[in-house]
Amino acid sequence: MRTRTLDCPTCGTMQPFRLLDDEEKAAVRAAKGDGHQVDNLWRCTAKGCLTYYRHLNKYDRGLLPETFREEEAAGR
């Protein structure tokens, strides 16, 4: 899995980020509309963090639904 170390505004530190998987992309599309581009969205991999943003544009960020936090904690 490809990761990048980016600044996470939620965690307040540099964290590894990975590209959203298909389920996460679908959740973002459902929340933001079908026309929302989801191909270059990166998610913080810190335990319990739901933050995602487009690489180099952390001001256009969002949070994944809580269900993704639960799945991550369960060892998804």
Side-chain angles (χ1 to χ4, degrees), residues 9-66:
T10 303
C11 296
T13 59
M14 299 295 283
Q15 295 289 336
F17 276 66
R18 64 165 174 77
L19 287 168
L20 295 184
D21 65 24
D22 291 338
E23 288 180 48
E24 294 162 341
K25 287 179 184 180
V28 171
R29 275 197 192 103
K32 297 203 174 205
D34 288 335
H36 190 76
Q37 291 291 335
V38 294
D39 293 329
N40 192 26
L41 293 177
W42 292 77
R43 178 190 178 167
C44 179
T45 61
K47 186 174 182 177
C49 190
L50 297 171
T51 298
Y52 68 87
Y53 64 86
R54 200 166 310 285
H55 181 59
L56 300 178
N57 188 1
K58 69 180 176 182
Y59 301 104
D60 182 23
R61 67 180 183 256
L63 296 174
L64 292 167
E66 285 293 322

